[in-house]
Amino acid sequence: MKKILKIVIFYCLLVSITPILVSCGEVSSNQNSQPAENNSLQPDKDADDTMQFKLKEGTNTFSIKPVVGGAKFLDATEKEIAQFTIGTNSKQFRINSAAGKVLGYAAIKGSAWTIENAEQTKELYILSRQEDGNYQLKNEAGKEIYRIKLRDYGFEIETPAKQSLYKVKIEEDKIVLIDASDQIFLYTNSALPPLMLVCFGFEDLNIEQQAALAYAVNLSGGR
């Protein structure tokens, strides 16, 4: 529980001060720059550190299990739904179906995360951080489809018309995704960046794309 709270507090503080640093413009280029590996997608060192997600009643629904060279996306019975494989490009990974079919790619590009098609000719979805600390998700046409607002309790997912869809709340021992009717939709007890849970509120994406985007967010440290 303390581990979750420490990670969440650090993450929220980091997100909160980002717009301040940007607006000041007084930080030297050496201070602003990060080592290349910080923007690289790297598989978790601990292959047993499975990220488990649960439904309201505590039932396991799916998980992301780190393995050598990437991760497996598993259902509640630990049957494989998809594979995430990191190749020679350390800022990108391939999304394969359980049968091995290439479904697409996910990547980190500066302050954004993308889902690309199988041919790598289109960026289907782009999740990006804004200068004010908020986030937005756009489709391949550049149309905004979700706004992700930073709140005291975590995040709120809205439509461009400001209709509230989901909230991500940081509680004492878990991180919770709550739907518009104020019911728990999904939660995790794992010490993960809250932005990961946001990805599972993007209804325009299929479950493989949601999980891949969440995994990319986690690998890049949630920022």
Side-chain angles (χ1 to χ4, degrees):
M1 181 172 67
K2 291 182 179 179
K3 180 181 177 183
I4 292 178
L5 288 175
K6 286 181 180 179
I7 290 177
V8 167
I9 290 170
F10 172 79
Y11 173 75
C12 290
L13 285 174
L14 180 65
V15 173
S16 299
I17 67 172
T18 298
I20 297 174
L21 294 177
V22 171
S23 62
C24 289
E26 297 176 354
V27 182
S28 69
S29 59
N30 287 337
Q31 290 173 316
N32 278 336
S33 63
Q34 295 181 347
E37 61 268 23
N38 285 353
N39 282 333
S40 298
L41 300 176
Q42 299 293 338
D44 292 51
K45 293 180 180 179
D46 186 355
D48 294 324
D49 192 15
T50 300
M51 295 164 265
Q52 185 69 61
F53 301 89
K54 301 180 181 182
L55 299 176
K56 177 181 179 180
E57 62 275 11
T59 305
N60 291 342
T61 179
F62 51 76
S63 61
I64 300 175
K65 182 177 182 178
V67 295
V68 175
K72 291 184 178 181
F73 181 43
L74 309 173
D75 68 12
T77 65
E78 297 196 357
K79 181 179 179 181
E80 189 174 291
I81 301 172
Q83 304 166 2
F84 305 144
T85 304
I86 301 172
T88 55
N89 182 352
S90 61
K91 296 181 182 180
Q92 181 186 75
F93 63 86
R94 188 176 66 248
I95 309 165
N96 285 90
S97 69
K101 179 182 178 181
V102 179
L103 302 177
Y105 290 80
I108 178 174
K109 298 183 177 181
S111 59
W113 301 266
T114 64
I115 295 292
E116 302 172 6
N117 63 356
E119 296 76 27
Q120 296 183 271
T121 57
K122 295 180 182 179
E123 292 182 343
L124 303 178
Y125 298 101
I126 304 99
L127 174 63
S128 59
R129 186 176 65 240
Q130 308 302 296
E131 290 187 357
D132 59 4
N134 296 316
Y135 295 79
Q136 67 177 186
L137 185 78
K138 292 184 177 181
N139 62 17
E140 62 180 289
K143 180 181 178 182
E144 182 184 50
I145 49 180
Y146 296 112
R147 294 178 178 178
I148 302 92
K149 299 290 188 178
L150 184 64
R151 304 299 190 197
D152 291 340
Y153 53 76
F155 291 102
E156 182 173 14
I157 305 173
E158 298 179 340
T159 66
K162 298 185 178 182
Q163 176 188 356
S164 181
L165 301 175
Y166 290 95
K167 295 180 176 69
V168 171
K169 294 189 175 182
I170 302 158
E171 299 187 352
E172 187 175 7
D173 60 346
K174 57 182 175 286
I175 306 170
V176 184
L177 179 64
I178 299 172
D179 64 23
S181 60
D182 207 30
Q183 298 296 311
I184 293 175
F185 179 72
L186 194 71
Y187 76 91
T188 181
N189 297 113
S190 300
L192 302 173
L195 190 61
M196 274 193 75
L197 269 290
V198 169
C199 297
F200 292 107
F202 295 153
E203 297 178 351
D204 280 43
L205 282 65
N206 61 40
I207 190 63
E208 292 89 352
Q209 292 171 334
Q210 290 176 357
L213 195 59
Y215 183 56
V217 167
N218 184 58
L219 290 178
S220 59
R223 60 186 186 277

